[in-house]
Amino acid sequence: MKKKFALIMCSMFMFIMSNGCGSGSDSETVEGSNIRLRIDDILMSVTWENNDSVRELKKLLTNKDLVINMNQYGGFEQVGSIGQTIKSDNREMTTYPGDIVLYSGNQIVIFYGSNSWSYTKLGKLIGKTDDEIKNILDKSGVKVRLSLSNSN
């Protein structure tokens, strides 16, 4: 009985951790969001947040794709400038692999590790394991392309 209970508790813990519980962000997603994110040539599935920052990011993509040359930082994230400042609502949070956040109102950060800081949550990579995310992001010279799904 104790083993069964321990197994259930362990499973619950793993589920909570893999879903970024405790990130302090709104868990709603933008309905019908059509923002695509590519890391190098890999199209990633993303659940985008329902907030003003994502809506402003989407407006930036109306006329053209946004290509961001990312830089590895701290051994746990890739960071790059979006070229202008958009609305932010920073909150203290702990990030997990796959989290996408806005930093300083003008930089997108994609995590392949964990960190605690004040960010605005933009979204979360889905459909990839933590190891797969790390293999994609744990290198120098990553290029991120944001576009609307109805554009090329």
Side-chain angles (χ1 to χ4, degrees):
M1 185 67 162
K2 286 182 183 180
K3 283 184 179 181
K4 189 181 253 184
F5 178 75
L7 182 61
I8 290 169
M9 293 306 291
C10 183
S11 295
M12 287 175 54
F13 176 78
M14 294 301 289
F15 174 78
I16 289 168
M17 294 306 291
S18 69
N19 286 296
C21 183
S23 66
S25 68
D26 183 356
S27 62
E28 288 184 52
T29 58
V30 176
E31 261 186 57
S33 176
N34 58 347
I35 299 175
R36 287 192 303 193
L37 184 143
R38 288 185 183 276
I39 299 175
D40 293 329
D41 290 326
I42 304 168
L43 181 61
M44 306 295 287
S45 294
V46 177
T47 300
W48 295 100
E49 293 292 305
N50 182 13
N51 62 35
D52 289 338
S53 301
V54 172
R55 284 185 279 281
E56 283 193 30
L57 184 61
K58 190 173 177 180
K59 283 181 189 175
L60 287 177
L61 302 172
T62 302
N63 296 319
K64 65 178 182 170
D65 292 358
L66 182 60
V67 177
I68 305 167
N69 292 312
M70 308 288 277
N71 295 300
Q72 196 173 29
Y73 181 80
F76 53 84
E77 69 185 27
Q78 288 282 344
V79 61
S81 175
I82 60 173
Q84 68 182 76
T85 301
I86 61 174
K87 184 177 262 186
S88 61
D89 183 20
N90 291 339
R91 296 176 185 192
E92 286 291 322
M93 68 177 74
T94 298
T95 60
Y96 299 96
D99 283 341
I100 304 167
V101 300
L102 182 67
Y103 174 70
S104 293
N106 64 357
Q107 296 178 66
I108 288 184
V109 181
I110 305 175
F111 287 89
Y112 58 90
S114 184
N115 191 37
S116 294
W117 200 258
S118 184
Y119 303 109
T120 300
K121 183 86 179 260
L122 297 176
K124 175 111 179 137
L125 299 176
I126 57 173
K128 301 277 185 204
T129 67
D130 291 356
D131 286 340
E132 289 172 320
I133 291 169
K134 184 173 182 173
N135 287 336
I136 292 168
L137 292 171
D138 189 10
K139 60 185 175 184
S140 60
V142 172
K143 185 178 1 178
V144 168
R145 178 180 294 273
L146 296 169
S147 62
L148 297 180
S149 63
N150 57 355
S151 66
N152 293 335

